[in-house]
Structures are given as structure tokens and as C-alpha cells.
Amino acid sequence: MLHGPTRAVVLILGLIALLLNVDRLFNTQMLIGYVLLDTAYFYLLTGIFLAIVFQVYPLPYNRFGTAGRIADVVFSLLALGSACYFAWNGERILMEGWDLVAPTNAQVISGVFCLLVLEALRRTGGLVLLCICGFFFLFPLFAENMPGFLWGPSTDIPGLVMMHALGSESIIGVPMRVVAGLLIGFLLFGSALVVTGGGAFFMAFAEALLGRTRGGPSKVAILSSGFFGSLSGSVISNIVTTGQMTIPTMKKVGYPARYAAAIEACASTGGALMPPVMGAVAFIMAENLNVAYSTVMIAAIVPAALFYLALMLQTDCYAARRGLAGQRPEDLPKLWPTLKEGWHFLLSLVVLIYLIVARGIEAQAPFYATLVLLATSALNGWIRGENQLTLGRLVDLLDDAIRNIANIVGILAGVGLIVGALSYTGVGGAFSRELLQFAGDNVFLLLLFGALTSFVLGMGMTVSACYIFLAIVLGPAMAGAGLNPIAGHLFILYWGMLSYITPPVALAAFAAAVIAKSDGMRTGVLAMRLGAVNFVLPFIFALNPTLVLQGEPLDILHDVGSAVLAVWLMAAASEGWLHFVGRLGIPARVLLGAAAITLIIPGYLSDGIGLALLAVAVLVNRLSAPDGRREPVPSVAPSAD
């Protein structure tokens, strides 16, 4: 935690960057007095937040001592100085083609800037991501010695640093342009929700809605993590924030530690796929596809809803089979008082969604929503006489937002090196052509290859880095194969996210296991089973884009309905309990699994086969398992009275 002068400097720098962003997006021209050139604007934002990274993520002073503190200050000054130099010469960089031929001093500063970006990436993204991005950073040096589709034109070291630092496709390429154009406002809004108590409200709201139901704490965990994750976009912070409350409560009502951790891991992972915010990736996707962010947001609604429906049904079936009741009403918050206390959080969300979808002002919407949230929070605190919005809390809001933005900039500026290397060498396009030729006319084979690649890269990269890399090398191939572009890019995103709940990495599962005090690997295996629908859904909506709301209304309605039924049967087969039937034997579970697969495949014939298999499964279960007709555990917990 930063204190004293260092924190003050970070807050001042961050505030300048935020004002620069607002000045740009709202075209006020109040901060500088004129409109900055695009490249100058991107350099200034990048340089300011890189300087903040070196203060927020310092060298370990217990090892480096005073030398480490001095180094951090020097790195920050170099980042600011380099960015200011590039911003001042922004017009010359464009007009004179400095990415190809630049003055000697510009080449030296470019080299320094590239090294600073790599060091910032190490501090924010970790060593594995640094190694991956470092390899691609150097790739143009030896591209002409690579075989087949990996071949590309090579360059020397001066040419390398010029193309990365001074070109428009690398450090200040698409990832940083998304941060500068869209993402900062949404990160600010997310921080405002956290600092004003939005996390506690959504937890209480979920408890009031679902706490009494059968296995209620697990459903509270799913709903609250979905709410919180859709706004924060961060899987691990979601687990740390909501999991501290939900996991112990699940254990208290009878869920094993491993199951409680797996539920929280899946729910938090899905939060980054849930509209309206969805984390940084959705904004990058909209930029890559050249569509409005609202288009991506709307397309993601049904797949995310199906994923959370599957989790809800599985936990309900598990609770019914194990006899787990919900919490007592007197132990839960009341719905109406909860809404009276937190109405302003819901209002700010409504404002945000309205401005995005109805008004189409995506870049400005989160700033307006943040103002509404802060104003209504102040009003609500004044009316209730508690939890008031003080100056200290506003400073905490600024601090939290600046840290989050700096973290994203540190990662995405480094990931831009991958984009630049693949763009300048042409390897990205060559890879797509090779992949199309390899798959031939078999679209499923292309998707299978893409899924495996996404999954493997998702183990070592952040979701943003994984998506950006695969959008370059796989996105064109999917479009060339005739797949719907939005469905294809969502396919990449979903498979990149699966590494969070799948061993051997399973970062979300291991993080939740620490809180639950369970075995991390066993938790990961269980989380993979609970999130099994996410292994199937991407193939379905990639092959049939009605599930991402692309197509005729009647087709969309039919396919979404059959998918909901398939998810219900998949949950029943997984947990061994079918609503209105009861406990299931092994033969019935196998038949229900087959019915789910046929139902989720688009087409009336497959639906008919699925319904027939459902009927056979119920009949077989009644004939082979008399206890399968038992009444289920009450779905609402009784009062203590």
C-alpha cells in the first residue's frame, strides 16, 4: 500500500491522465486548449500509466533496498520523458515515417521505451507472460530464418525498436487504443461501485433473493459473483472479494469445501463473460470487429445466461440429492430494505446500459453513470445518515481506479508487442491461411484446433493477451471458413477463459481452494465438471449463431429454448437428480446426457430425438430405481418457528 509523497504523486499523475481522457472523449479542449494528435494522446496516456506502474508495483525493497527505490523513480521518469518526447514529435513520427527511419536520438529513446514496457509487463503480468511477449518482441530479428508459414522479413535492432515504439501497430496499437478510447471510463465506474459499497449490496441482494432456497448459499455465490464479475471483469479479484463470504457460508450449510470452492471459481470465471462490462476483452473485441460495443454485449447475453443457469441447476440438484436446505429467513436480509439501501447501485447500472444500448455513447456512458452513482450515493448517505460519501472515500476511489488502469496498461502495452511483431512480419496472416488449408472444408476441425490453441495459450497468458493473439491468427481463418465473426471471436474468448477452471493451471480454482482450505487440484477437476457446459457452448454458438442472437427471431427463440432444456438435462445428468422425478440411476443419467447433447444441436430432428431420450430416461429410472420417485428436499428453507 502506498503512503505519503509516493501516493500523492501517483494520485496526481493518475488524475492528470483521467482528465486527459475526459478532455479527449468529451472534446472539451479545456486541459490543453487544443485537440491532441492521436499518437501524442496515446503516448502520453501510456507514459503516465507506465510511470505509475513502477510505483504501484515496486521492486522488492527487502532485496534491493535504496537502490530499488531509486531505480523505480528513474524508471518512472524515463517513462514520462520518453512519452513526452514522442508526443511532442507526434506529427514528425507520422509525416517522416520514423517507424522506418528515425533520428539517432529517437532510436535510443525507442529502445529505452521498449525495455520499460517489458519491465512494466513483468511487474503486472508475471514472468510467463513476459517470456511470451519477449519472444514475439524479438521475433522480427530472426523471422527470415523460420520455416514455412513462420517465415517473415527480418530487421536489425534499431529497426526492431523503431517499429515497436514508433509504429502504430505495436505498443500504441489496438490494445492501447481500446484503453484510451473506451476502457478507462468503465474501470473508473467499476472502482466507484466497489468503493461505494456495491459489492456488499449485490451480496445482500442475492441473499435476499435466493438465500432461503434449497442450497441457497451456493446460489447466492453464483448470483453475487455474476453481478460483481460482470462489472469488475477480474476473475481473481472476484474470488477474493465475494469468495471470502460465500465459501464459508456454503460450507456451513453442508457443501463440502471442495464443492464450495469449485462453485465460486466457476461463478467468478463466468463473471468476466457476463454483460454489461465483461472486462477489457469485450472492448478489444469490438475494436477488432469494428462494431459497437453494445453489439458484442448483446451477443454475449445468452451464452453467459446459459452458463449461469447450468451452475444454478447443478447446485440445486446437488442440494436436493444431499438434502441441503437453505438459510433461515431470520438470518437473511429482507429484500425491500435491501433495495431501499442500495437502489442507487441499480439506478447507475440502468443508466449505464441505457446510454450504451439506446444512446450509443459507449465511451462517455461510464462517466455519466459514475457521476449518477456518486451523486445518488451522496444523497442516499445523507438521507440515511450513514455510509456517507466523504472526501477520503473519493480519494480511495481515485486510488483504486488508477491502480486498475495502470495494471491494464502495463499488460496491454506489452501485449501490443505481439500484435506488432505478427503484423510487421506478416506471420499472423500466413498462419490463418495455413490453418484454413489444413482444415480444408471441415469447420469443426478448424474450431477444434482453435479451441486447443486457445486453451493452451490461456494457461500462460492473461485472457486479454490470449484473445488478442488468437484474434490475429485465428480470427481471419474463422471468418474465411464462413463463421459468424462475433460468434467466432466469442469462441476464442470462452476457450481462453476455460484455463481458469481447468487443471493443471486452474488459477480460479486454486485461489478459491485457498479460501475453502481444500485441495487445489481436486477443486480444479470438480470446477471443470461444473463448468462443463462452457466446453460445449462455444462450438454450438460458433456453428449456429442464433445463440449469440444472430439470425431470424423465430429461429433464435427455438434454439435458445432447446438450449435451456439441454442445460437442464445436462445439470441433472451431472448431479444425478432430475426435477419432478428425483434421484437418478446411472442408466438414466447416461440417457439424459445423450438427450442434452442432441437438444443443444440445432434442428427439429435433433430436438425430437432429445425429447424421446428424455422420456426413455424417465421410464428407465422409474423401472430400475424405486427411490427415484422420492419427493425432493423442500426448495425453500422453513422458518425457525
Side-chain angles (χ1 to χ4, degrees):
M1 185 71 178
L2 297 178
H3 300 283
T6 303
R7 188 185 191 217
V9 169
V10 166
L11 290 174
I12 291 170
L13 285 175
L15 184 59
I16 291 172
L18 288 174
L19 291 175
L20 191 65
N21 183 244
V22 171
D23 186 67
R24 177 75 171 195
L25 296 179
F26 289 86
N27 195 27
T28 62
Q29 300 182 31
M30 293 178 61
L31 190 63
I32 298 178
Y34 60 90
V35 178
L36 275 174
L37 198 66
D38 283 351
T39 52
Y41 168 64
F42 297 141
Y43 279 125
L44 286 176
L45 275 186
T46 305
I48 290 172
F49 283 113
L50 286 181
I52 293 173
V53 165
F54 295 124
Q55 300 303 311
V56 174
Y57 300 92
L59 291 170
Y61 296 149
N62 58 339
R63 289 176 52 194
F64 295 97
T66 304
R69 297 179 186 273
I70 294 173
D72 288 338
V73 172
V74 170
F75 289 160
S76 294
L77 292 175
L78 286 173
L80 287 172
S82 301
C84 288
Y85 173 82
F86 293 143
W88 182 260
N89 291 283
E91 188 171 355
R92 291 187 64 192
I93 291 173
L94 291 177
M95 301 302 295
E96 299 176 16
W98 279 18
D99 57 325
L100 300 175
V101 179
T104 303
N105 58 345
Q107 294 180 27
V108 173
I109 295 173
S110 295
V112 171
F113 196 61
C114 289
L115 293 176
L116 291 170
V117 167
L118 289 170
E119 172 59 11
L121 176 66
R122 183 191 68 81
R123 299 189 187 198
T124 54
L127 190 59
V128 173
L129 186 56
L130 171 67
C131 292
I132 295 171
C133 293
F135 169 80
F136 283 100
F137 167 67
L138 298 172
F139 182 74
L141 292 179
F142 51 83
E144 65 181 8
N145 298 318
M146 298 298 288
F149 65 89
L150 295 176
W151 181 91
S154 290
T155 186
D156 54 12
I157 291 178
L160 178 76
V161 297
M162 285 188 295
M163 73 169 62
H164 282 304
L166 301 172
S168 59
E169 300 290 337
S170 189
I171 294 173
I172 61 165
V174 169
M176 273 307 306
R177 292 167 191 263
V178 170
V179 173
L182 282 173
L183 195 52
I184 288 177
F186 284 91
L187 292 173
L188 179 65
F189 177 70
S191 295
L193 273 172
V194 172
V195 172
T196 54
F201 163 73
F202 286 120
M203 176 66 70
F205 182 54
E207 286 183 327
L209 281 177
L210 299 173
R212 284 189 63 193
T213 61
R214 182 169 54 202
S218 63
K219 298 168 186 174
V220 171
I222 293 167
L223 188 61
S224 61
S225 294
F227 275 134
F228 188 81
S230 69
L231 301 171
S232 71
S234 172
V235 176
I236 303 303
S237 69
N238 195 347
I239 292 171
V240 172
T241 303
T242 61
Q244 297 283 0
M245 295 176 278
T246 59
I247 290 174
T249 309
M250 282 188 276
K251 291 170 65 177
K252 186 177 179 180
V253 299
Y255 282 97
R258 181 165 58 102
Y259 199 96
I263 285 292
E264 181 59 44
C266 288
S268 295
T269 299
L273 307 171
M274 173 68 79
V277 179
M278 301 173 62
V281 183
F283 300 95
I284 299 171
M285 185 185 301
E287 182 74 16
N288 281 333
L289 293 170
N290 196 27
V291 298
Y293 169 69
S294 57
T295 303
V296 174
M297 184 182 79
I298 292 170
I301 290 174
V302 170
L306 290 174
F307 174 66
Y308 275 100
L309 177 64
L311 286 180
M312 284 283 191
L313 290 172
Q314 285 181 101
T315 57
D316 187 65
C317 291
Y318 183 92
R321 187 163 57 88
R322 296 295 183 94
L324 305 181
Q327 295 172 271
R328 296 183 304 175
E330 51 268 32
D331 295 334
L332 296 169
K334 304 298 181 182
L335 180 58
W336 180 241
T338 300
L339 288 174
K340 285 175 65 178
E341 292 179 11
W343 59 271
H344 52 294
F345 298 112
L346 296 177
L347 175 63
S348 63
L349 278 178
V350 170
V351 169
L352 178 68
I353 294 171
Y354 169 76
L355 292 176
I356 292 174
V357 177
R359 298 294 301 276
I361 50 173
E362 297 158 349
Q364 297 85 2
F367 291 99
Y368 288 123
T370 301
L371 288 176
V372 169
L373 175 59
L374 295 178
T376 51
S377 293
L379 176 63
N380 193 51
W382 177 74
I383 293 173
R384 298 178 60 238
E386 60 183 25
N387 199 27
Q388 296 188 13
L389 191 63
T390 62
L391 179 61
R393 294 179 69 190
L394 289 175
V395 172
D396 290 339
L397 160 61
L398 185 62
D399 186 299
D400 187 72
I402 290 169
R403 288 170 177 270
N404 291 335
I405 298 167
N407 179 270
I408 289 290
V409 170
I411 291 173
L412 293 186
V415 171
L417 298 171
I418 298 177
V419 180
L422 294 176
S423 175
Y424 289 122
T425 58
V427 168
F431 185 89
S432 296
R433 291 191 297 272
E434 192 77 14
L435 189 59
L436 273 174
Q437 185 175 356
F438 175 76
D441 295 328
N442 193 329
V443 178
F444 183 79
L445 183 62
L446 176 66
L447 290 174
L448 183 62
F449 188 84
L452 292 174
T453 308
S454 302
F455 179 74
V456 172
L457 287 177
M459 293 181 182
M461 292 185 176
T462 64
V463 178
S464 300
C466 176
Y467 167 75
I468 290 168
F469 177 80
L470 291 171
I472 296 171
V473 299
L474 281 177
M478 290 183 171
L483 295 174
N484 179 275
I486 294 178
H489 282 248
L490 280 173
F491 177 93
I492 294 170
L493 171 59
Y494 266 64
W495 270 94
M497 289 293 297
L498 284 173
S499 64
Y500 273 95
I501 59 170
T502 309
V505 178
L507 290 177
F510 277 95
V514 171
I515 299 173
K517 297 181 175 60
S518 63
D519 179 78
M521 190 59 69
R522 294 182 66 198
T523 299
V525 172
L526 180 56
M528 183 173 64
R529 178 172 72 80
L530 291 173
V533 68
N534 254 17
F535 290 85
V536 179
L537 268 179
F539 284 95
I540 303 303
F541 65 63
L543 293 170
N544 184 40
T546 51
L547 291 185
V548 292
L549 305 181
Q550 304 282 309
E552 295 297 323
L554 288 179
D555 293 335
I556 291 172
L557 187 63
H558 168 265
D559 291 344
V560 170
S562 62
V564 169
L565 182 58
V567 164
W568 174 46
L569 298 184
M570 190 180 297
S574 174
E575 297 297 342
W577 183 281
L578 181 63
H579 297 84
F580 312 111
V581 174
R583 194 181 300 273
L584 299 172
I586 296 298
R589 293 173 71 173
V590 172
L591 287 169
L592 284 181
I597 293 173
T598 55
L599 280 167
I600 208 169
I601 296 173
Y604 290 97
L605 177 60
S606 60
D607 288 351
I609 295 172
L611 292 173
L613 287 172
L614 169 60
V616 172
V618 172
L619 179 62
V620 167
N621 193 68
R622 288 189 176 276
L623 293 175
S624 62
D627 67 330
R629 293 190 295 272
R630 293 189 317 175
E631 288 296 317
V633 175
S635 59
V636 177
S639 167
D641 298 334

